Amino acid sequence: MHCDTIVLGAGIVGVSTALHLQARGRKVVLIDRQQPGNGTSHGNAGLIERASVIPYAFPRQLSSLLRYAGNQQSDVRYSLKHLPKAGPWLLQYWRHSGAKGLAAATRAMLPLVERCVSEHDQLSEPAGMQHLIQTSGWIEAYSSPVAFAKAQQDAAALKEFALNYRVLDRTQMHAKQPGLHPDVIGGIHWLDPKTVSDPGGLTRGYADLFVARGGVFVIGDALTLQQRVGKWEVLSEQGLVVADEAVVTLGPQARGVFEPLGYKIPLAIKRGYHMHYAAQPGASLQQPLLDPVGGYVLAPMVGGIRLTTGIEFADSDDPINEIQLRRCEELASAFFPLGERLNAEPWLGRRPCLPDMCPVIGPAPRHKGLWFNFGHAHHGLTLGPVCGRLLAEMMTGAAPFTDPTPYSAERFH
């Protein structure tokens, strides 16, 4: 099977990249070991996060570091046996999270975040997926007066980014979301983001659009990728696929391709979980709720109320550990009345993260025709379409809408 471009990985980033390359005239084959949208793209909180203009940084305050060191928190948990392996990467992350590094990451990511909603709109409308996307934003909920006051200060400090939000007092908060625990004293309603009630379904809808427009999706093993006689080849269930170009959009699995080729890109995994719950009689979750103190999100999904956890640092292949989920479950039940679990076991996802809080988007420096688009951390769903557009512009010689230098793979060499 011959084509212009092989796209390896059919998550939201890969599917979006394939669509943008297709729209610019490339004959594309999209390859994954499973059906589209079943990896990390399936299990997130469903936020197209236009309001996240400041990347998630490593905590720098001593009080925060001491609190996490006890490993009893709900938002971040770590495996003791994994720490020696993760230590060097965490040190890099800590260094980049200083004032200068965080400011640089914020500047680099802003052009992508600013366009995240409009780029989704360009795909969701022709894909017929608008029924999965809501425009009511999401809400931070607070039961601590101190935390609520600080959140209002932090929101006001983002004035230069012209974000739209409303501060909700106790009465407004409970009117906006009936059924909340009486201890909830207020919240911040972020209005610019859109939310998705089935992230995996949205990705599959985009993949269907790619196929309807003449693209080809095949089941195959990205780790068989090799360069031979100036071409890129990969094995699929339909035989060998051969192309002039290959794009690595494998998210947490990208290391399996770039490391054998000699690239030392510090890609790490932040694990996370989700579980679906029934609603208690008479209770209905109106839009996603974030408990910033507890570090979890409750989101209305087609499969029930989805609770997504924060970060777990553990080996990628370690078995499921319910400690963090149970901690979040207990906190969440004190915010909103959750019913019974609807899944037999928690879903485990792996977020692909880089220490400077920016993805890798662009050419592989030492291999002609090889391109990268991975490392989107907590915002793969948010950034998939806009990063697919940026890479397609670079690959087809169009003027990129923003300077791609901050995302270059060469920054690690």
Side-chain angles (χ1 to χ4, degrees):
M1 186 184 301
H2 292 264
C3 62
D4 297 321
T5 310
I6 300 167
V7 175
L8 303 169
I12 187 64
V13 176
V15 172
S16 299
T17 300
L19 276 164
H20 277 287
L21 286 167
Q22 181 186 59
R24 287 161 176 79
R26 291 285 200 269
K27 182 181 178 183
V28 181
V29 173
L30 178 65
I31 294 179
D32 203 307
R33 62 187 179 185
Q34 56 187 344
Q35 292 297 316
N38 283 328
T40 306
S41 298
H42 163 74
N44 54 73
L47 306 180
I48 303 174
E49 231 316 52
R50 174 63 182 87
S52 278
V53 292
I54 308 295
Y56 290 115
F58 196 99
R60 305 278 293 190
Q61 292 181 322
L62 181 60
S63 58
S64 296
L65 294 173
L66 291 173
R67 182 165 60 90
Y68 289 123
N71 206 19
Q72 298 297 311
Q73 302 305 308
S74 57
D75 53 343
V76 178
R77 181 193 168 272
Y78 58 87
S79 162
L80 278 173
K81 70 181 182 64
H82 180 65
L83 276 188
K85 179 180 176 181
W89 186 90
L90 290 171
L91 181 59
Q92 289 187 64
Y93 186 18
W94 179 82
R95 287 173 174 164
H96 283 290
S97 296
K100 184 177 179 180
L102 184 56
T106 300
R107 290 192 302 271
M109 295 304 294
L110 188 60
L112 306 179
V113 173
E114 286 178 331
R115 293 165 176 81
C116 67
V117 170
S118 60
E119 290 297 329
H120 263 284
D121 291 343
Q122 293 297 314
L123 299 183
S124 63
E125 292 176 12
M129 291 290 107
Q130 301 98 315
H131 65 287
L132 296 180
I133 299 178
Q134 292 76 46
T135 61
S136 56
W138 61 273
I139 296 176
E140 294 176 18
Y142 293 91
S143 56
S144 160
V146 174
F148 187 29
K150 181 166 189 312
Q152 293 176 66
Q153 293 173 359
D154 291 344
L158 300 176
K159 183 178 181 180
E160 65 177 290
F161 301 105
L163 299 173
N164 295 298
Y165 69 92
R166 290 182 58 212
V167 176
L168 306 176
D169 62 21
R170 181 192 296 271
T171 300
Q172 293 167 325
M173 185 70 185
H174 287 265
K176 177 67 69 174
Q177 179 54 69
L180 287 174
H181 193 279
D183 286 349
V184 176
I185 61 170
I188 297 179
H189 188 182
W190 296 96
L191 301 168
D192 295 307
K194 291 186 177 182
T195 64
V196 181
S197 60
D198 184 357
L202 182 71
T203 303
R204 289 186 284 277
Y206 289 178
D208 289 343
L209 177 64
F210 166 72
V211 172
R213 288 176 170 178
V216 176
F217 170 76
V218 295
I219 300 293
D221 184 359
L223 300 186
T224 65
L225 181 74
Q226 62 175 334
Q227 189 178 33
R228 188 165 59 182
V229 198
K231 301 282 188 177
W232 291 96
E233 300 178 349
V234 66
L235 291 174
S236 79
E237 290 185 352
Q238 298 185 26
L240 194 66
V241 184
V242 182
D244 294 325
E245 302 169 315
V247 185
V248 180
T249 61
L250 292 165
Q253 285 81 42
R255 182 184 296 277
V257 172
F258 69 71
E259 276 196 342
L261 294 173
Y263 293 96
K264 299 185 184 300
I265 300 171
L267 185 70
I269 304 300
K270 294 180 183 177
R271 302 193 345 162
Y273 298 89
H274 86 224
M275 173 60 69
H276 290 106
Y277 302 83
Q280 293 279 19
S284 175
L285 191 64
Q286 301 301 310
Q287 61 269 308
L289 282 179
L290 166 68
D291 173 5
V293 178
Y296 62 87
V297 176
L298 291 176
M301 296 280 175
V302 295
I305 298 174
R306 178 179 292 182
L307 186 156
T308 59
T309 69
I311 299 164
E312 181 186 57
F313 288 107
D315 285 336
S316 180
D317 296 329
D318 277 359
I320 288 172
N321 186 319
E322 286 205 29
I323 291 175
Q324 186 179 39
L325 178 65
R326 291 195 192 108
R327 289 172 180 169
C328 292
E329 203 173 56
E330 182 178 355
L331 292 170
S333 297
F335 256 65
F336 186 80
L338 295 178
E340 63 180 356
R341 286 187 175 191
L342 298 178
N343 305 123
E345 65 177 11
W347 181 87
L348 168 62
R350 298 162 178 87
R351 307 175 184 100
C353 302
L354 291 152
D356 62 357
M357 297 162 280
C358 294
V360 173
I361 308 171
R366 299 189 302 278
H367 291 81
K368 183 179 179 181
L370 183 64
W371 299 79
F372 295 148
N373 193 356
F374 58 79
H376 299 82
H378 298 258
H379 295 309
L381 178 68
T382 294
L383 299 176
V386 68
C387 291
R389 171 188 166 182
L390 178 60
L391 185 67
E393 289 171 344
M394 297 171 70
M395 291 178 66
T396 58
F401 69 84
T402 189
D403 180 8
T405 303
Y407 324 118
S408 170
E410 294 188 87
R411 71 187 193 266
F412 299 115
H413 297 279

